[in-house]
Amino acid sequence: MRTEPIHPSATYRTISCACALILLAAASSAGAQERAGHGVGDTRIDQFVTNQDGVSGFGGIAVQDEETERLSPTDRAFLVEAHQLEMMQVHVGAVAQKRKTTQAVASHSRRVLDAHQASLVAIEKIGRNHGLELERDFTPEFQRKAEALQQATDASFGAVFFGQMLELHARTVDLYEQASATTDNADLRSLLDDSLPTLRTQLADAEQFSTTLETVATAP
């Protein structure tokens, strides 16, 4: 006796599709709620940063044994300060990409975005893995810098951009070097070792680019 294949009925297929759509909508809503409230006075950070929970760009960051990998107060302070610096560099790079600028500004801002998007995601992931949530809200200091950059005219934008980049790159290199000398956390060690060569190169590039400008504005 020949057995005929069983085909799902139209009603069954309709119910299955409806369930799939409900689950997809719920997942999208949850993602939207998770991203809500991360404003920094400008939405560019969330536009340019992909929350890659499985891909950090810094090699296998994972939850470690809580007793051996607990974050020290110094590590936590590092993550908070580094998060602000990384977030600001993403913001500055994103703003520059939207402005009519020189080739030097366009080139440097693109490299800044590529590097610091990955760093920002990695820092947030390390924080979450160790119970530290880092919100995407600027401190008053960085909010003022963001506003100063937004208000710069086309003629002055390059000077303001490199003024801020020089300060941000120098502060980031100093902060990462200090953390590298003190941390015992494996996740942070991986991040620091991977990041420092790029950070030093960015600082040297910003110093070189800034010499081509007649005036480099003091970073607001």
Side-chain angles (χ1 to χ4, degrees):
M1 180 178 63
R2 187 176 65 180
T3 302
E4 294 294 332
I6 298 175
H7 298 286
S9 67
T11 301
Y12 178 83
R13 289 196 300 269
T14 300
I15 293 173
S16 298
C17 289
C19 290
L21 289 173
I22 290 170
L23 290 172
L24 179 60
S28 298
S29 175
Q33 291 174 3
E34 182 181 355
R35 291 188 296 271
H38 286 169
V40 293
D42 188 289
T43 60
R44 288 182 174 86
I45 286 179
D46 282 331
Q47 290 174 4
F48 280 85
V49 177
T50 301
N51 188 9
Q52 306 174 70
D53 284 336
V55 182
S56 70
F58 290 94
I61 292 174
V63 178
Q64 303 291 329
D65 181 77
E66 186 176 355
E67 294 303 317
T68 59
E69 293 294 334
R70 191 187 305 274
L71 288 174
S72 69
T74 301
D75 290 339
R76 285 178 173 266
F78 163 79
L79 286 172
V80 171
E81 187 173 354
H83 187 251
Q84 285 288 314
L85 287 166
E86 296 290 353
M87 196 165 57
M88 186 65 196
Q89 286 169 98
V90 169
H91 177 83
V92 174
V95 171
Q97 288 289 301
K98 297 291 185 180
R99 296 290 292 266
K100 184 178 181 180
T101 60
T102 64
Q103 181 59 40
V105 171
S107 175
H108 192 72
S109 62
R110 181 69 260 170
R111 290 198 294 274
V112 164
L113 270 177
D114 289 343
H116 293 280
Q117 288 178 93
S119 298
L120 184 58
V121 170
I123 285 171
E124 290 178 350
K125 185 173 179 65
I126 292 172
R128 285 196 305 273
N129 284 350
H130 296 281
L132 177 64
E133 287 293 333
L134 297 162
E135 296 294 335
R136 288 183 181 172
D137 294 310
F138 282 142
T139 62
E141 175 199 0
F142 288 106
Q143 187 64 46
R144 287 192 297 271
K145 290 180 182 297
E147 291 169 357
L149 188 71
Q150 290 279 15
Q151 294 166 6
T153 65
D154 288 344
S156 66
F157 187 84
V160 176
F161 170 83
F162 277 117
Q164 290 195 358
M165 283 285 92
L166 282 169
E167 181 199 356
L168 292 169
H169 291 335
R171 286 173 63 176
T172 305
V173 168
D174 286 345
L175 181 67
Y176 276 56
E177 287 179 341
Q178 291 172 19
S180 181
T182 61
T183 188
D184 293 322
N185 183 277
D187 287 348
L188 282 185
R189 173 63 56 193
S190 177
L191 172 70
L192 296 165
D193 289 347
D194 285 342
S195 299
L196 273 167
T198 298
L199 294 173
R200 292 177 181 127
T201 298
Q202 287 179 350
L203 176 58
D205 287 346
E207 290 171 342
Q208 181 178 2
F209 281 138
S210 68
T211 61
T212 66
L213 301 173
E214 292 182 2
T215 303
V216 175
T218 300

